[in-house]
Amino acid sequence: MQAQSKAPSTLLVVLAFATVYIVWGSTYFFIQRALEGFPPFFLGAFRFITAGLIMLIWSLLQGEDVFSAKAIKPAIITGLLLLFIGNGIVIWVEQFLPSAMVAIMISSSPLWFILLDKPKWSENLSNKSTIVGLLIGFAGVVLLFSEKIMVSMSSLNSSRDLFAMALVVFGSMAWAGGSLYSKYKSGTNSATVSSTWQMLAAGIAFLPGSFISGEFTNLDLAAIPMDAWLATTYLIIFGSIAGFSAYVWLLKVQPATKVSTYAYVNPVVAVLLGIFFANESISVLQIAGLVIILGSVLLINLHKYRKPKEAVSAY
C-alpha cells in the first residue's frame, strides 16, 4: 500500500472532527423525530439510498473511478457492518429504548476499537494514557446520563428490551469492526467513492426488512408529518453525506482510537443541544460528566500528537 505523499491539512482534520463530533451528536434527536413519521427499515433504506445516489452523482462529476471492483467489494462489506448493522440497530431500538440508554451502550465502541485493532495491540495496549483515557471517557458518559439511567432501568422489564440492549452492544462491535476493516482493507484512496458504495449497500440491505415487516404496505407518504421529512433531510445531508464522509476520511488519515472518541463527544453534544434548544436543565452530575469526557479525549489525543514528532525523525 503506497504511503500518502503528504500529511493531511490540519484545518481539514479539525473540520472533519468537528463535523463528526457535532453533527453526529445531533443525530440521536433527529432519528427519533424521523421515526415519528417513518417506519425504521424504510427510514434506513430511504436515508442511505438517497444519500448514496447524491454521492454517486457527485463522484461521477468529479471524475472519480466509481465503478472499480477493487473499490466496491470492501466498501460493500464496510457499509453492511457500519450502516446496516451498526446504525440500523440504533434506528430499530430507538423505537422503544430510551435514547440515553442507547447512547451509553454506543459509547462502548472506543473500547471495541482497542480490542479489535490487532495490528495496533502492541501500541494501544501498552500505552497507559490511551487506555486510561478510554476508560475515563466511558465513565464520564455513564455519569453524564446517570440520573436518566436510574429512571430508565425501572422500565426495562420486558425480554424485548433486554434483547434490544444486547443488540446495541453487538451493533457497537460491528461498527468498530467495520471501521477498522475500512481503515485497513479499503480498495480506494477516495473517501467519497468508499462512502458512496457503503451507503448504497446499506440502503439496499434495509429493503428486504421493510418488505417483510409490511412497511411498504402500510406506508402513506402523504400522512408523514413535515417534522419527520425535515429530520430525514437533515440525516441525509448532514448525518450521512457530511458526517459519514468525514468519518470515512478520518479513518484513512488518523489513528482509529483517536477517531473513535466521537462516541464520547456525541452524547456531550446531544445534552448541550437539549439545554440550548429544548430548554432542558443540567445537573451538577452532568456537568461533572461533561468535564470528565472532555478531559479523557484530551488525554487520548495528547499521546497521538506526540507520536508523529518521534516518527518523523525515523525517516
Side-chain angles (χ1 to χ4, degrees):
M1 193 165 66
Q2 287 183 328
Q4 291 188 353
S5 57
K6 62 178 182 178
S9 161
T10 301
L11 178 60
L12 283 179
V13 171
V14 170
L15 288 175
F17 267 110
T19 301
V20 173
Y21 281 174
I22 297 170
V23 171
W24 275 4
S26 65
T27 54
Y28 290 99
F29 170 79
F30 284 102
I31 286 173
Q32 287 193 321
R33 280 296 183 90
L35 286 171
E36 292 174 4
F38 289 93
F41 287 109
F42 181 84
L43 175 62
F46 180 70
R47 172 187 175 183
F48 291 119
I49 289 176
T50 302
L53 289 175
I54 293 172
M55 293 285 286
L56 178 63
I57 294 170
W58 173 257
S59 298
L60 290 172
L61 291 174
Q62 295 297 110
E64 299 267 17
D65 185 12
V66 177
F67 299 104
S68 164
K70 184 181 177 183
I72 294 174
K73 182 180 176 181
I76 289 175
I77 294 172
T78 303
L80 293 176
L81 287 170
L82 287 177
L83 301 176
F84 176 61
I85 298 176
N87 192 263
I89 286 174
V90 171
I91 293 173
W92 188 73
V93 301
E94 280 205 26
Q95 296 174 100
F96 34 80
L97 276 189
S99 59
M101 187 66 67
V102 176
I104 289 290
M105 289 181 285
I106 289 296
S107 69
S108 68
S109 60
L111 305 177
W112 294 118
F113 271 85
I114 289 286
L115 295 175
L116 297 177
D117 194 0
K118 189 175 180 180
K120 292 287 186 179
W121 274 357
S122 59
E123 177 184 333
N124 290 332
L125 295 177
S126 64
N127 187 270
K128 292 181 180 179
S129 68
T130 298
I131 299 297
V132 172
L134 289 170
L135 293 174
I136 289 176
F138 183 72
V141 175
V142 173
L143 188 61
L144 180 66
F145 290 110
S146 58
E147 293 161 336
K148 290 185 178 180
I149 292 172
M150 297 306 294
V151 175
S152 300
M153 287 301 289
S154 62
S155 64
L156 297 177
N157 298 319
S158 69
S159 57
R160 181 202 66 183
D161 291 340
L162 293 174
F163 174 68
M165 292 171 69
L167 271 182
V168 176
V169 174
F170 175 72
S172 183
M173 294 173 62
W175 182 276
S179 298
L180 293 169
Y181 184 88
S182 176
K183 183 175 183 65
Y184 295 121
K185 301 291 185 180
S186 177
T188 174
N189 287 325
S190 171
T192 306
V193 173
S194 293
S195 300
T196 297
W197 290 112
Q198 287 169 24
M199 286 188 279
L200 286 174
I204 292 170
F206 276 107
L207 290 174
S210 189
F211 279 109
I212 293 170
S213 62
E215 289 180 352
F216 275 97
T217 304
N218 301 318
L219 185 65
D220 181 5
L221 293 178
I224 295 174
M226 181 57 66
D227 281 356
W229 281 109
L230 293 174
T232 303
T233 301
Y234 179 90
L235 291 171
I236 291 170
I237 297 173
F238 296 100
S240 295
I241 295 176
F244 189 68
S245 297
Y247 179 75
V248 171
W249 180 76
L250 281 173
L251 284 173
K252 293 177 181 294
V253 301
Q254 294 290 297
T257 49
K258 184 176 176 181
V259 179
S260 73
T261 56
Y262 80 89
Y264 294 155
V265 180
N266 284 173
V268 175
V269 173
V271 168
L272 293 176
L273 286 174
I275 293 168
F276 290 113
F277 296 104
N279 296 319
E280 295 179 3
S281 58
I282 185 168
S283 67
V284 175
L285 276 178
Q286 286 180 310
I287 293 173
L290 294 175
V291 173
I292 290 172
I293 291 167
L294 297 177
S296 75
V297 174
L298 179 62
L299 186 61
I300 294 167
N301 289 348
L302 279 176
H303 164 66
K304 297 301 178 183
Y305 285 134
R306 292 193 193 107
K307 205 70 178 171
K309 294 181 180 179
E310 298 170 7
V312 169
S313 61
Y315 285 97

